[in-house]
Amino acid sequence: MEDRKLTVRAVERALDILLCFTADSDLGLTEIASKIGLHKSTVHRLLTTLEDRGFVVRNSATEKYRLGFRIWELSTHLSQSDEPAVLLQPAMEGLRDRLGETVSLYLRDGSMRIRIQAVQSNQPIRRVAPVGARMPLAVGASSKVLAAFMPPQELETLLRGDEWPSSVDPEVYKAQLQDIREKGYATSYEEREPGAAAVAAPVVNRKGQVAAALSVSGPVSRLAPETLHDFAPILIEAAKEMGLMLP
């Protein structure tokens, strides 16, 4: 029984190491150990195993690690024909070409949102949107779109949870969500990060369920509040068309 517990713990720790790379592409041993709160010797042993299996690779010049080819082999099996990230990419590219800004697609995972697809703007100054990034539901246009259409009981649980930031008043937040439900879109202006603005709308599938949040984002120098509102009808129409593509 004890061996089984140790094995599970080792798997959890190895997965924690891999998850470090959702925010950074290259990390050193000390950085990884600090992120997951383990001794460097333990992390080194786990990294050696992951490197042997091809899940991470080490740059001998910089002594830093990055994800290996096995990760990409596994990811190819996510590209099924019914996956939103695959199905909607061409339409997202069309929206990017029309509006000139980065287009992203998000799914809700509990109290977080995950970017599952991104089509980068072709502008020289643009907002880079890494796929796989996880963000809280408390702030941001896409977060509020996903929260606005959550089951009421789940929303109340989210607002009463220990992870809910004290800086965001639940009653004010709920009023914002009601406004989003009425308008059909949300905007954010330097809400989650300085210098960034976004507008988002729900993608509703043929079953009438909110399957994702579609957003257009970029620097505030190009996306003034009035520009976001001008983009909103175009985004809402694109989100409706994309929803019809989903099962």
Side-chain angles (χ1 to χ4, degrees):
M1 188 67 175
E2 183 64 25
D3 288 343
R4 184 180 176 186
K5 289 182 179 179
L6 289 172
T7 301
V8 171
R9 191 177 302 124
V11 172
E12 290 175 345
R13 289 171 171 177
L15 291 173
D16 286 341
I17 288 174
L18 294 177
L19 289 172
C20 288
F21 294 94
T22 57
D24 300 279
S25 59
D26 295 87
L27 291 167
L29 173 61
T30 302
E31 293 172 292
I32 295 171
S34 176
K35 281 178 177 288
I36 64 175
L38 290 176
H39 195 277
K40 286 196 294 184
S41 61
T42 301
V43 175
H44 183 264
R45 288 196 298 272
L46 291 166
L47 281 168
T48 299
T49 301
L50 290 170
E51 186 178 8
D52 288 342
R53 294 301 184 96
F55 286 95
V56 298
V57 293
R58 183 174 60 89
N59 185 320
S60 57
T62 63
E63 293 296 322
K64 291 199 171 188
Y65 295 85
R66 63 184 309 132
L67 294 177
F69 67 93
R70 289 295 183 191
I71 294 293
W72 308 118
E73 287 183 347
L74 289 174
S75 69
T76 60
H77 295 288
L78 292 174
S79 301
Q80 304 298 325
S81 61
D82 60 348
E83 286 290 333
V86 178
L87 277 173
L88 303 184
Q89 183 176 349
M92 292 173 65
E93 291 173 348
L95 183 63
R96 183 271 315 274
D97 294 342
R98 183 176 182 183
L99 299 181
E101 301 294 348
T102 295
V103 177
S104 300
L105 190 69
Y106 294 90
L107 296 183
R108 182 171 72 88
D109 181 20
S111 63
M112 305 289 287
R113 61 175 158 121
I114 305 174
R115 184 182 285 117
I116 65 166
Q117 184 62 280
V119 178
Q120 305 292 349
S121 167
N122 292 322
Q123 305 256 19
I125 299 176
R126 60 185 183 271
R127 185 167 177 267
V128 177
V131 172
R134 296 171 62 89
M135 287 151 275
L137 291 182
V139 292
S142 296
S143 288
K144 291 178 181 177
V145 161
L146 292 171
F149 297 95
M150 288 173 63
Q153 187 173 356
E154 289 186 34
L155 177 60
E156 289 299 327
T157 300
L158 172 69
L159 297 176
R160 293 195 304 267
D162 294 336
E163 296 181 1
W164 187 257
S166 59
S167 59
V168 180
D169 185 284
E171 294 306 315
V172 173
Y173 186 81
K174 284 196 285 188
Q176 293 174 341
L177 299 188
Q178 179 59 36
D179 183 57
I180 291 166
R181 285 189 287 268
E182 293 172 359
K183 294 191 303 183
Y185 70 95
T187 60
S188 63
Y189 199 78
E190 295 192 295
E191 190 172 296
R192 193 180 66 81
E193 59 180 291
V199 56
V203 177
V204 181
N205 63 23
R206 284 176 284 178
K207 297 176 183 177
Q209 302 166 332
V210 173
L214 179 71
S215 79
V216 176
S217 61
V220 296
S221 58
R222 291 197 302 267
L223 295 184
E226 55 269 25
T227 304
L228 295 177
H229 292 292
D230 288 343
F231 279 3
I234 300 171
L235 180 65
I236 290 171
E237 186 60 31
K240 287 181 180 178
E241 293 175 359
M242 291 183 196
L244 296 175
M245 301 177 193
L246 300 177

